[in-house]
Amino acid sequence: GDSVTQTEGQVALSEEDFLTIHCNYSASGYPTLFWYVQYPGEGPQLLFRASRDKEKGSSRGFEATYDKGTTSFHLRKASVQESDSAVYYCALSDQGQGGSAKLIFGEGTKLTVSS
Amino acid sequence: DAGVTQTPRHEVAEKGQTIILKCEPVSGHNDLFWYRQTKIQGLELLSYFRSKSLMEDGGAFKDRFKAEMLNSSFSTLKIQPTEPKDSAVYLCASSLKLVPQYFGPGTRLLVL
């Protein structure tokens, strides 16, 4: 079945550091890819999505590029802030192919940014 | 528009009790999802409704978990009987075709 793998379980950075969180996926079709962010006590909220190869999604300084060749959708930010501390989830959905709208989530990466 | 509403936000139950969690999706959304979130297992899909029809009922959760969609604007998740291992955050989300899922704040359940 479809799956999403996030390499880093936890990432600890200082303010203004560069962030990369790796996300690789496995899917039989041509999925839509998402990044969600979850703050303590809240549900996940959408950062952005991408639906086709080479499409770049971005929001709040975060960005990721859909790469079908390497089946990746790595999250990057040039300069993190303490307020970016949260759990980040990569996810996929094959709803664009007329399939299920359900999301398949990666394990999540807890980002902690210190000042 | 109001987002996804979940009640209660916190629930404490004794082992063996029946509990009912409630969810109101975003108005106009026709897909509704229930997830369980734990530190160990992460986000697990429990149930998925499209236009009130049950599309997927998570196999591992069938015996004691029952989700229902009574109308297009209200869903419940019943856990009967509860066990300590059910302690988790239960998240409800809704979406419309080609629109990403919007999540509620979750219900934190503690089973003693």
Side-chain angles (χ1 to χ4, degrees):
Chain A
D2 296 351
S3 66
V4 176
T5 302
Q6 291 178 237
T7 311
E8 299 88 358
Q10 295 190 67
V11 174
L13 297 172
S14 300
E15 281 195 323
E16 299 183 14
D17 279 353
F18 188 93
L19 168 71
T20 301
I21 299 177
H22 295 94
C23 172
N24 287 91
Y25 69 91
S26 173
S28 52
Y30 203 140
T32 297
L33 303 175
F34 304 81
W35 276 102
Y36 278 82
V37 58
Q38 185 175 25
Y39 299 100
E42 299 181 11
Q45 55 183 270
L46 180 71
L47 256 183
F48 54 80
R49 63 177 167 172
S51 304
R52 57 187 183 276
D53 193 23
K54 303 296 184 266
E55 180 179 357
K56 179 162 55 172
S58 64
S59 175
R60 308 185 218 171
F62 292 91
E63 61 179 42
T65 300
Y66 193 135
D67 190 329
K68 198 165 187 296
T70 59
T71 60
S72 67
F73 193 53
H74 305 317
L75 181 69
R76 294 187 168 93
K77 186 174 186 182
S79 176
V80 294
Q81 302 301 310
E82 198 170 356
S83 58
D84 294 328
S85 297
V87 179
Y88 292 82
Y89 289 96
C90 184
L92 70 80
S93 168
D94 68 353
Q95 67 178 350
Q97 298 292 309
S100 167
K102 71 178 185 181
L103 286 170
I104 306 229
F105 285 92
E107 303 88 343
T109 298
K110 183 176 181 181
L111 172 64
T112 304
V113 181
S114 55
S115 58
Chain B
D1 279 341
V4 176
T5 304
Q6 289 188 248
T7 55
R9 292 296 310 277
H10 302 273
E11 179 79 63
V12 179
E14 297 284 337
K15 178 183 172 182
Q17 265 188 275
T18 295
I19 62 105
I20 296 176
L21 310 181
K22 304 177 183 72
C23 173
E24 294 175 44
V26 174
S27 178
H29 283 190
N30 62 355
D31 286 332
L32 186 136
F33 306 82
W34 283 99
Y35 294 89
R36 184 172 79 171
Q37 184 175 39
T38 60
K39 280 194 169 68
I40 294 173
Q41 299 292 336
L43 282 151
E44 302 172 281
L45 180 70
L46 299 175
S47 294
Y48 159 36
F49 293 87
R50 170 161 283 179
S51 300
K52 300 188 293 180
S53 296
L54 184 64
M55 305 298 289
E56 189 159 336
D57 195 356
F61 300 97
K62 277 183 180 170
D63 57 345
R64 296 182 298 107
F65 292 72
K66 184 177 175 64
E68 291 184 308
M69 196 141 187
L70 307 179
N71 56 55
S72 61
S73 58
F74 186 69
S75 176
T76 59
L77 175 66
K78 181 191 290 186
I79 309 175
Q80 179 183 36
T82 52
E83 297 182 6
K85 65 181 179 180
D86 299 332
S87 297
V89 176
Y90 290 84
L91 291 160
C92 178
S94 70
S95 71
L96 190 59
K97 188 172 172 57
L98 302 184
V99 173
Q101 290 183 25
Y102 287 85
F103 284 79
T107 295
R108 185 173 294 275
L109 171 66
L110 176 61
V111 182
L112 304 174

